[in-house]
Amino acid sequence: MVRGKFLLCRFFSVLLLGGAIAAGGAQEAAGASAPIVDLGAFPVDSDSRVAAINDDGTMAGVYSTPAKGSIAARWNPDGAVAPLAVPSTHRMTEARAINAKGFIAGSAYDDMSIRRPVLWRPDGSFTELSSPDRYEHSEATAVNTAGVVAGTVSIGSPPVERAARWDAKGVMTLLPLAPGDTKSAAAAINDAGVIAGTSGEQPVRWNPDGTVVRLPLLPGDDRGSAQGVNNAGVVVGGSGAHPVRWAANGTATALPFLRPENPGGDARAINDSGVVTGISSVGGGHHSAVVWDARGAITGLGTLPGHDQSAGAAINSRGVVAGESEQTSVRGRHAARWTAPDKATDLSRSFPGGDRAEAFAINVHGQAIGQSLTPDGVIHPVTWTQGGVLTDLSPGSNRPEANAINAHGVIVGTDNQKLNKDRAIRWERDGTITALKEPEYHTYRSRAYGINDSGVIVGSASSRRGSAQPTRWAPDGTPSLLPLLPGDAGGAAKAINNRGVIIGSSGIRNETNEHVVRWDPDGTITELTGLPGEKYTHAVALNDRGDVVGYSGDHPVRWSPDGRITELALPEGTSRGEASGISDTGVVSGWYQFGVAGAPGRALRWAADGKVTVLPSLPGGQETKADGINALGEIVGSSDNGAGQVHAVRWPATSEAGIRPVLSR
């Protein structure tokens, strides 16, 4: 019996999923109230961008898919993303602005395919704002703390765009045009009600009383636009191809270019400290996200790795910039956030696409490891922070696997570099990969399966003609072979606890019927027997108390420290199950599968008293798997989400909300 840890192929071949799109991160990113947390997968080039960010770090913007088109989204401060809901009569949404209270302004297409101005409240409820012509396009582009919305509507025949304002009760007022103009558009609003935008081809400011004031262009320019305004009334935008800042009295100041030899740029947003973000040309038809400080000095923010163009669209009072980054030679912009120059975070990691990921293990600090498919379909080892930020553990051409992580963030696994020669490896906290020294005469293949908090590593090593031997590496990397049961020829060490107790297997050469064994710190080996009549028994994990879990035949089992075996209960109608991990308090993770061929499996949690509960899936999901648990009881694994994807997930230890108790057979 072969039990694979990575189920991507299974999901590809078995699941036939349908239903509404459920973007990664739709659940809360952390906390006891969340029954399941979406860790996401490698980003896909589906096209996304952030348009606004408030002082809490909550962001609003849009992503798009070939099937659904544009979808308005909200990002939590930790980067988790959720689509903004609309009634069934609306589709194709876009979020343009967010205020300090979490109200989001934007647009949605109605049942007649007309773009309507809309507002999402912090609780997710949706309101369509009024507009003067039911059959022409309109949109909301800005919202202030008082709930006053600014935007653009269409009136007349033929239709003409006009800047508009909606008060907190939703009553709309057209904003006046500058003399001689026939069209206008509103782009931003501050908390005092000052609106910045464009009238005709000129930048303008509308005062709270509705009067319109033209903002001067730079000498030689004949057109421009105002795109941002802060609470001091300072406006930013563009004059011709020059980024500009207008003081509250209307005085225009040209902002410098990032590269004087590559003129061209635009200022798009300004915070209350006077720091501005936008774009500046870097040559070759590309531009970079930049910030200008209050004195006008410019700094380039850079791009996401592998990208050649970026843009800053919004900035909050803490100086955090949000916008987009892209590789212009391929399709797809990635929503991005900058906390400092060259410190960009990819916010598109959980959007719908062809992504697949599964988490295998988690340490006491919430750092998880696993695997994910890259956009080009290659499996890479990855790690997720507590907040769900994904890092590629193998950004180069090698494709190692990560198997275990300790409390210090040190990861062990196996690298298959060339000629199918496996090599046990260790990732240091800084990402450096070190190949582990192999025991003498056992240098043909080696694999690392477990590590404890002292840095002791266990796995296996083999010679060219011999069976794999259970192996232990001391913290300094010195290898040593572990003893086998009398008459056995090989085996492997699979896990080690913080007391130095090791579990694994020992067996006769070329036999699949291996014995489950435990090695005590002094090297004593003890066999752990399986259930009566079962030929195949395996130990998978152990805790610091010495409790061991695994499976015997098709049954999940648990061994006590004195070696007594107990079968763990499964739901009725189940064909098989497996225990995958155990916490220090005796909580066990695992999974089961129904007896119907092809039926989806379910992740399980067994309490210390043996009570079993089914762990919830992502919204719309059908199949889940629990692969590992930390000492605190947090479980990681995978779940499909009803949109054709499989994401790595975490089930918090403290939540029972949404978890369904089951009847045992």
Side-chain angles (χ1 to χ4, degrees):
M1 178 184 298
V2 177
R3 304 219 177 191
K5 181 165 62 173
F6 197 71
L7 290 185
L8 298 186
C9 294
R10 173 179 173 79
F11 276 109
F12 282 135
S13 62
V14 174
L15 288 182
L16 297 174
L17 299 175
I21 287 177
Q27 300 294 311
E28 292 183 20
S33 63
I36 184 171
V37 178
D38 192 340
L39 296 176
F42 273 119
V44 293
D45 291 325
S46 59
D47 200 87
S48 62
R49 63 187 184 276
V50 179
I53 182 171
N54 67 15
D55 288 348
D56 293 333
T58 306
M59 295 161 282
V62 64
Y63 67 93
S64 64
T65 69
K68 298 282 186 176
S70 63
I71 301 169
R74 175 177 57 218
W75 286 263
N76 293 333
D78 65 2
V81 63
L84 295 172
V86 295
S88 59
T89 52
H90 291 70
R91 60 179 181 82
M92 291 279 289
T93 57
E94 182 173 357
R96 297 287 300 274
I98 184 170
N99 71 8
K101 298 178 180 178
F103 286 81
I104 296 174
S107 62
Y109 283 83
D110 64 14
D111 55 356
M112 295 189 296
S113 297
I114 305 297
R115 188 176 66 231
R116 315 298 300 168
V118 300
L119 191 68
W120 287 272
R121 294 180 175 83
D123 64 3
S125 58
F126 169 90
T127 299
E128 181 181 318
L129 301 173
S130 62
S131 53
D133 194 326
R134 181 69 182 84
Y135 302 100
E136 296 297 339
H137 296 297
S138 302
E139 63 180 335
T141 55
V143 57
N144 69 11
T145 303
V148 179
V149 177
T152 304
V153 300
S154 297
I155 61 172
S157 182
V160 176
E161 290 187 341
R162 290 285 302 273
R165 176 180 61 209
W166 291 265
D167 65 21
K169 296 181 179 180
V171 177
M172 191 208 75
T173 303
L174 287 177
L175 297 173
L177 296 164
D181 293 333
T182 59
K183 64 178 182 178
S184 60
I189 185 172
N190 69 11
D191 288 345
V194 176
I195 296 172
T198 306
S199 181
E201 303 291 342
Q202 306 283 322
V204 296
R205 180 184 67 227
W206 285 275
N207 295 321
D209 62 3
T211 57
V212 60
V213 177
R214 286 194 188 275
L215 298 173
L217 297 170
L218 297 176
D221 292 334
D222 60 359
R223 64 183 58 195
S225 64
Q227 300 192 50
V229 59
N230 68 9
N231 285 326
V234 180
V235 177
V236 295
S239 174
H242 303 86
V244 175
R245 173 165 47 203
W246 289 274
N249 63 7
T251 303
T253 301
L255 296 171
F257 301 120
L258 186 61
R259 298 180 182 177
E261 69 274 19
N262 298 124
D266 197 16
R268 297 183 173 177
I270 181 171
N271 68 13
D272 288 345
S273 299
V275 182
V276 180
T277 190
I279 62 172
S280 186
S281 175
V282 292
H286 298 158
H287 51 71
S288 172
V290 296
V291 290
W292 293 271
D293 66 21
R295 296 171 298 175
I298 188 172
T299 302
L301 294 178
T303 66
L304 291 170
H307 289 185
D308 58 17
Q309 180 165 280
S310 60
I315 184 169
N316 68 10
S317 64
R318 299 178 182 178
V320 179
V321 174
E324 63 193 60
S325 177
E326 65 179 317
Q327 173 60 41
T328 54
S329 62
V330 298
R331 178 187 181 274
R333 293 169 291 184
H334 289 207
R337 176 181 60 200
W338 289 265
T339 54
D342 298 316
K343 295 290 185 181
T345 299
D346 193 334
L347 298 172
S348 69
R349 60 182 172 81
S350 296
F351 290 129
D355 49 351
R356 297 288 188 275
E358 184 172 359
F360 299 155
I362 183 171
N363 68 13
V364 293
H365 302 298
Q367 182 182 357
I369 60 168
Q371 291 180 334
S372 182
L373 283 180
T374 62
D376 56 358
V378 179
I379 296 174
H380 275 214
V382 295
T383 180
W384 292 269
T385 65
Q386 172 77 20
V389 177
L390 180 151
T391 300
D392 189 351
L393 290 173
S394 179
S397 58
N398 290 341
R399 300 190 323 201
E401 61 184 43
N403 293 324
I405 182 171
N406 70 10
H408 306 294
V410 180
I411 300 166
V412 295
T414 305
D415 192 8
N416 186 348
Q417 295 183 351
K418 57 184 177 180
L419 300 178
N420 200 32
K421 183 183 184 300
D422 295 338
R423 188 73 183 270
I425 57 174
R426 176 180 62 214
W427 283 268
E428 309 300 340
R429 292 182 62 186
D430 63 1
T432 303
I433 299 178
T434 303
L436 297 177
K437 182 181 178 181
E438 292 157 325
E440 189 176 12
Y441 309 122
H442 294 79
T443 59
Y444 181 58
R445 283 196 177 96
S446 61
R447 300 179 70 84
Y449 294 113
I451 182 172
N452 68 11
D453 293 346
S454 298
V456 181
I457 300 168
V458 295
S460 66
S462 63
S463 62
R464 180 176 292 273
R465 292 180 175 84
S467 298
Q469 302 294 309
T471 305
R472 176 187 183 275
W473 286 269
D476 65 359
T478 302
S480 59
L481 298 180
L482 295 170
L484 298 168
L485 292 173
D488 285 350
K494 291 300 181 74
I496 181 171
N497 70 13
N498 288 323
R499 293 174 47 232
V501 178
I502 301 169
I503 59 165
S505 62
S506 172
I508 301 172
R509 185 174 182 179
N510 298 325
E511 275 287 332
T512 57
N513 184 16
E514 295 182 321
H515 308 283
V516 173
V517 294
R518 179 186 67 217
W519 291 272
D520 291 328
D522 63 2
T524 302
I525 184 171
T526 303
E527 181 177 0
L528 300 177
T529 58
L531 294 173
E534 294 294 350
K535 184 177 181 181
Y536 303 103
T537 300
H538 292 271
V540 177
L542 80 166
N543 64 14
D544 285 347
R545 299 191 311 190
D547 299 301
V548 179
V549 294
Y551 55 93
S552 184
D554 287 333
H555 312 286
V557 295
R558 174 177 178 169
W559 290 270
S560 63
D562 61 5
R564 289 179 293 110
I565 189 172
T566 302
E567 182 179 352
L568 297 171
L570 284 173
E572 293 182 358
T574 298
S575 66
R576 65 172 184 165
E578 178 181 329
S580 60
I582 183 168
S583 76
D584 283 349
T585 59
V587 178
V588 178
S589 62
W591 58 273
Y592 75 94
Q593 186 174 3
F594 283 117
V596 179
R602 293 284 190 270
L604 296 177
R605 173 193 287 148
W606 287 272
D609 62 3
K611 178 183 178 182
V612 60
T613 54
V614 175
L615 297 173
S617 66
L618 293 172
Q622 299 182 43
E623 184 158 358
T624 55
K625 184 168 181 277
D627 287 305
I629 187 171
N630 66 12
L632 304 177
E634 293 181 292
I635 297 173
V636 292
S638 61
S639 172
D640 68 290
N641 62 7
Q645 302 129 359
V646 180
H647 280 191
V649 296
R650 181 179 77 243
W651 290 276
T654 55
S655 173
E656 295 298 325
I659 297 177
R660 176 167 52 88
V662 297
L663 297 175
S664 300
R665 61 188 174 106

